[in-house]
Amino acid sequence: MRNRFFPLLVLLCAAFASTSALGAQNGKDRRFWTELPAGHTQKVEGLPDFVTLAARLSPAVVNISTEEAAKTSEQQPGAGGSPFGQFFGPPQPTRSLGSGFIITKDGYILTNDHVVADATRITVTTKDGEQYTAKVIGHDEKSDIALIKITPRHDLPVAPLGNSDDIKVGQWVMAIGNPFGFDHSVTVGIVSAKGRFIPGNYDDFIQTDASINPGNSGGPLIALNGEVIGVNSAIYTRTGISMGIGFAIPINIVKQELDQLRSKGRVERGWLGVYIQRITPDLAQSLGLSAPKGALVAEVLKNGPAREAGIKRGDVIVAYDGHPVDDSRSLPLMVGRTPIGKTATLKIIRNGKPMDLKVTIKPSQEAELASLESPSKQEPFGTASAFGLFVKDLNPELAKQMGLRERHGVVISSVKPGSSADDAGLQARDIILEVNRKKVGDVKSYQQAITAGKGKILLLLVKRGDNTIYVALKPKA
């Protein structure tokens, strides 16, 4: 069989040699692709020494098991006097498993907040098999980080913390943890991406294809130099197991929190006092921006730093303290990392003109950071229709019927499925405050503003629940 394929190999080699000669004939290179000059190709090296790396870091990784309070009898199967209750027995505490890694020789350990949240008992098992009861020193739900402490019987091996800002996409990384309870499992892969944002999370994650599964949570993501660059936290999956997309919290975010976690038990972040939204291409066009970058201020909260600094609704924040805001989701991270009381410079665009404003950062006021309400659907009614919107004059009687606080204005009664308004995310019970920066108080003024838009993209300011948002309304082609 081997001899049957040998002539084909010869023919391929001959054809390649002939093509090369043809391309170089007459002293000219006729190739339409690019190649490095001879002698300048990059040297291909072998795989890293994962054996040494695993041996060095594994002793600093721990297994974390937790117990939560037993469920009440009403939550147990067979409750309520059923004869099956005797079979299931009395309520049992629930148990979960995760990972962590030692950062000081006297027993401080980093893990995920979701690993130890609501735990009544935390047991840490080190690689040498010794077990300790741990207590939570501090935790932060927003970044999903917890600092716990054990009292060891001897000095412990530690995992050094690195610099996650220096990592590069494509570099080798190693994950160590306890997936499915298989303690100190080692997996390797590369950094797949940086700056990944997951809805509902505070962090900009490191993405990796190193295999991460349930039980890996809280374990370290390690660079080839032996330093921890991230805390494994989440996976993208449709099956409950690894699909090659895992996420780690950058260690630089963690390091900024450690002192507060140890001293205060919580993290106090900087606060700007605005609701912001992402700028879509349609919003950028309606705002006169050259590109869909920045953070659009949808609402300025009372008694907040932004209001004191003179920020107004409709401003676009394009830079914070000299750092560009290309993605609106990066702004809360920048502000959150700012020391309380520091004065920062906001670069904004207002009505097409750039401005610089000074803002003094205050502590976060979580109670005011409520999410947007989702009004319930209701039957269509109303008389005016444009872009798939049915609107109606709002009066006290209608406001009471719809459960709205406002008593006057223009309210959306229904949205036509598949229309421009539906595509833009407008909903029944939204109250339209402005069209193209002009206030509208009734259906008549609303229709006049729509007509003045002459079929172009409209910028609507909408009241939804307790919040206001901007919506770009694009006419259908």
Side-chain angles (χ1 to χ4, degrees):
M1 293 293 293
R2 179 170 54 188
N3 291 336
R4 288 178 59 190
F5 289 100
F6 183 74
L8 178 61
L9 179 62
V10 172
L11 287 173
L12 288 172
C13 291
F16 177 77
S18 176
T19 302
S20 298
L22 181 63
Q25 67 181 357
N26 299 325
K28 296 180 179 180
D29 191 344
R30 299 174 180 270
R31 291 173 296 196
F32 60 87
W33 61 88
T34 301
E35 293 183 1
L36 290 174
H40 286 75
T41 54
Q42 184 176 2
K43 181 181 178 182
V44 179
E45 299 180 354
L47 288 175
D49 184 3
F50 294 121
V51 175
T52 301
L53 192 62
R56 187 173 10 141
L57 272 298
S58 284
V61 179
V62 300
N63 178 301
I64 298 176
S65 61
T66 64
E67 292 184 9
E68 296 180 17
K71 295 181 180 179
T72 63
S73 58
E74 290 79 6
Q75 296 172 305
Q76 291 295 320
S82 166
F84 293 103
Q86 293 181 352
F87 173 78
F88 287 107
Q92 297 293 324
T94 58
R95 293 177 171 84
S96 63
L97 198 67
S99 305
F101 55 98
I102 305 164
I103 61 171
T104 66
K105 63 182 180 180
D106 60 343
Y108 281 98
I109 296 170
L110 271 177
T111 187
N112 285 143
D113 176 62
H114 76 258
V115 170
V116 297
D118 303 320
T120 56
R121 181 181 176 86
I122 304 171
T123 302
V124 169
T125 305
T126 56
K127 195 174 190 310
D128 58 12
E130 294 189 353
Q131 290 191 340
Y132 302 91
T133 299
K135 64 178 180 179
V136 176
I137 301 300
H139 68 101
D140 181 62
E141 184 179 358
K142 292 179 73 69
S143 61
D144 195 22
I145 287 296
L147 181 66
I148 64 176
K149 177 74 167 64
I150 62 175
T151 303
R153 291 177 278 273
H154 52 77
D155 286 352
L156 298 174
V158 301
L161 307 186
N163 182 359
S164 54
D165 289 344
D166 287 345
I167 64 172
K168 302 290 189 296
V169 173
Q171 77 174 62
W172 285 102
V173 287
M174 171 183 285
I176 306 178
N178 306 289
F180 304 108
F182 294 102
D183 64 288
H184 292 85
S185 295
V186 174
T187 55
V188 298
I190 62 168
V191 173
S192 304
K194 297 170 59 178
R196 290 292 197 215
F197 291 97
I198 301 176
N201 288 270
Y202 175 77
D203 310 295
D204 56 340
F205 290 89
I206 300 167
Q207 181 182 326
T208 179
D209 65 352
S211 184
I212 296 174
N213 284 290
N216 274 111
S217 290
L221 188 68
I222 304 161
L224 291 182
N225 62 2
E227 294 180 333
V228 177
I229 57 168
V231 181
N232 298 321
S233 177
I235 60 174
Y236 177 85
T237 179
R238 295 177 178 173
T239 62
I241 60 175
S242 175
M243 296 180 65
I245 300 179
F247 300 98
I249 303 159
I251 203 64
N252 283 11
I253 289 180
V254 179
K255 289 192 291 187
Q256 291 169 352
E257 299 182 355
L258 280 178
D259 285 339
Q260 291 192 64
L261 289 176
R262 186 174 64 171
S263 61
K264 300 178 181 179
R266 59 185 177 83
V267 177
E268 190 177 63
R269 291 189 176 86
W271 181 63
L272 195 56
V274 293
Y275 285 117
I276 59 171
Q277 64 184 95
R278 176 174 168 265
I279 297 181
T280 64
D282 289 345
L283 277 173
Q285 185 176 341
S286 64
L287 290 165
L289 301 176
S290 59
K293 295 182 178 181
L296 175 60
V297 178
E299 186 171 355
V300 182
L301 299 180
K302 295 179 180 178
N303 302 319
R307 174 159 293 193
E308 294 174 1
I311 295 175
K312 297 181 179 180
R313 187 167 55 199
D315 289 346
V316 179
I317 301 173
V318 294
Y320 177 81
D321 229 18
H323 301 283
V325 180
D326 292 331
D327 190 313
S328 62
R329 294 170 296 186
S330 66
L331 181 60
L333 289 174
M334 295 178 184
V335 177
R337 298 170 188 172
T338 305
I340 307 301
K342 178 182 176 181
T343 298
T345 301
L346 284 175
K347 190 176 189 63
I348 68 169
I349 295 177
R350 177 180 296 168
N351 297 324
K353 298 180 180 179
M355 297 175 58
D356 286 340
L357 296 176
K358 298 291 185 180
V359 59
T360 301
I361 300 302
K362 292 183 177 180
S364 176
Q365 298 182 16
E366 297 293 341
E368 297 193 47
L369 303 180
S371 59
L372 293 175
E373 296 179 357
S374 297
S376 58
K377 295 181 180 178
Q378 53 186 61
E379 294 298 318
F381 64 95
T383 56
S385 176
F387 296 92
L389 275 179
F390 289 85
V391 299
K392 194 173 180 67
D393 282 329
L394 186 62
N395 55 50
E397 182 180 351
L398 180 59
K400 183 177 181 180
Q401 176 187 343
M402 298 182 69
L404 299 173
R405 297 179 183 177
E406 285 74 13
R407 294 294 182 262
H408 301 281
V410 180
V411 63
I412 297 175
S413 59
S414 67
V415 180
K416 183 179 179 181
S419 65
S420 300
D422 189 28
D423 293 342
L426 289 168
Q427 304 171 358
R429 301 206 308 176
D430 285 348
I431 298 172
I432 300 174
L433 303 176
E434 296 178 2
V435 176
N436 283 345
R437 300 295 182 88
K438 293 183 178 180
K439 291 184 178 180
V440 292
D442 52 28
V443 171
K444 182 178 179 181
S445 61
Y446 161 80
Q447 290 176 323
Q448 291 173 343
I450 293 289
T451 302
K454 299 179 180 179
K456 298 180 181 179
I457 294 177
L458 299 179
L459 183 65
L460 270 60
L461 180 64
V462 172
K463 182 82 171 181
R464 179 176 295 167
D466 292 329
N467 306 290
T468 54
I469 59 173
Y470 281 101
V471 176
L473 199 56
K474 188 176 183 180
K476 285 286 188 180

